Amino acid sequence: MLSTRGRKYADLNLAAGYMKKRGPLYNKLEHPDGLVSLTTAENFLMQERALNFVKTECLPKLELSTLTYHDGPFGSRRLRHAMANFINARFAPFVPVTNDEITFVSGVTALNEILSLCTTEENEGFLLGMPIYGSFAPDLQTKSNCRLVYTSFEDQDQFSVQAVDHYERALQDAEREGIKVRALVLTNPHNPLGQCYPQETLEAILRFCGKYNIHLISDEIYALSVYCTGPSRPGFTSILSIDIRNIVDSHLVHVLYGLSKDFAAAGLRLGCLISKSAQLTQAVRSLARFHCASPLTDAIATTVLEDEDFCTEFLQESQRVLGDHRAIAAEALDDANIPYARNSNAGFFLWIDLSACLQDPSWQAEEDLKMRLYDHGVEMSTGQAYHDRMPGSFRFIFSVDRDTLVEGLARIVSFFKTHSNNVNVLGL
């Protein structure tokens, strides 16, 4: 017999996706007819390099302290010092980050849960754009029972200053319905659109948060996976780099980061909060007791971050190969006249428009399209999973090995040519 909470968690069945039986995945030599799975946003291109560094440089340096409780559950002093130096060198913070402002737990997913518990009461809300990282919903809501207020930008560019007007209307509409908005959540660079926010837009968002006295939580997990820049593709600007004096209380501005994406190390399960709010930091460190990263992970991450030459070389190589694979994907999509979000320049994915293959403009038709693609040998996440405004978009992961990338593109292109009605519903 379970409690009401226990039954709720069982019904959520958040483990289902991990337990799904997919059969053999594509491998050019061993399983050429296997499924091409493009659902998980990991930097598969750099995992071998990362693993080699762990084996040759990190493991030989392990000390007895890694088998103890060490400095507690929120990151060793040495790790927090290493991350502070890393952030100060690469995120260009306006005010340097200190050890005391950094807290580690077992991943950014855990931080999302903790922040929802610490910043909202039940039925109070978080403000998010559309589309947005789909797993914010279970991460933020499962334990806190908070509300998520999704903002539609309609035809407005959500990376523009004018997008703030839409956030404001969504906040006001929510509060008329009795939902008090406590925070705005950004992914910068954006997941799934793969774009970086211009500084002027970030400043406008900060002013908005200051006006309504709400938290700004900036998830910057893809910060250093920017592979090209240009006039329509600004580089990464951390919220930390902006002078927020006279704009918003610094205790309301928080950044999330980790090694899962930029360092191709999702398996380390390590995420950090950077916040100047001593009260929030204390609260998060209290809950870190239940989300402690292993001291072994702590030691590995410390060795990585302290090796400045390795970090520079690794990140440069990662950005190069990501750019190369993005170019391969873009060329294939262009040749097939498949629309996609062209201003993307960061992360591991392209937001592609397959609405021309929908049997009708409904979410059920999008789910049916997902299954038809699956039967054709390709698995991707849908627009509905990312709370998109209209059905038909899919997140295409290009950070897989070249053979898998080429095969996945070939299958998508052949499917599109066969099933497209030549109508671009979304206008990407």
Side-chain angles (χ1 to χ4, degrees), residues 167-215:
Y167 280 124
E168 187 162 33
R169 283 197 291 273
L171 179 147
Q172 292 170 346
D173 289 345
E175 297 201 341
R176 277 192 289 270
E177 296 175 7
I179 302 170
K180 178 66 177 177
V181 171
R182 292 296 186 185
L184 188 155
V185 179
L186 290 182
T187 56
N188 181 32
H190 192 279
N191 180 5
L193 297 181
Q195 289 181 240
C196 301
Y197 284 86
Q199 180 167 331
E200 59 268 23
T201 302
L202 294 174
E203 291 174 351
I205 289 171
L206 284 162
R207 283 192 293 271
F208 166 73
C209 291
K211 176 179 178 180
Y212 287 95
N213 198 37
I214 64 175
H215 296 273

Side-chain angles (χ1 to χ4, degrees), residues 56-77:
T56 60
E57 301 295 331
C58 299
L59 297 185
K61 296 177 182 178
L62 294 181
E63 300 174 351
L64 284 176
S65 60
T66 59
L67 298 180
T68 72
Y69 294 126
H70 207 19
D71 291 337
F74 48 83
S76 67
R77 293 179 182 87

Side-chain angles (χ1 to χ4, degrees), residues 108-117 133 136 139-140 219 256:
V108 171
T109 294
L111 279 172
N112 288 330
E113 178 192 81
I114 292 171
L115 289 176
S116 70
L117 291 168
Y133 174 60
F136 276 139
D139 295 354
L140 295 170
D219 180 341
L256 309 182

Side-chain angles (χ1 to χ4, degrees), residues 24-43:
L25 296 180
Y26 172 80
N27 179 285
K28 186 176 182 178
L29 298 179
E30 297 178 9
H31 300 291
D33 297 322
L35 176 69
V36 175
S37 181
L38 303 172
T39 57
T40 305
E42 293 190 48
N43 189 348

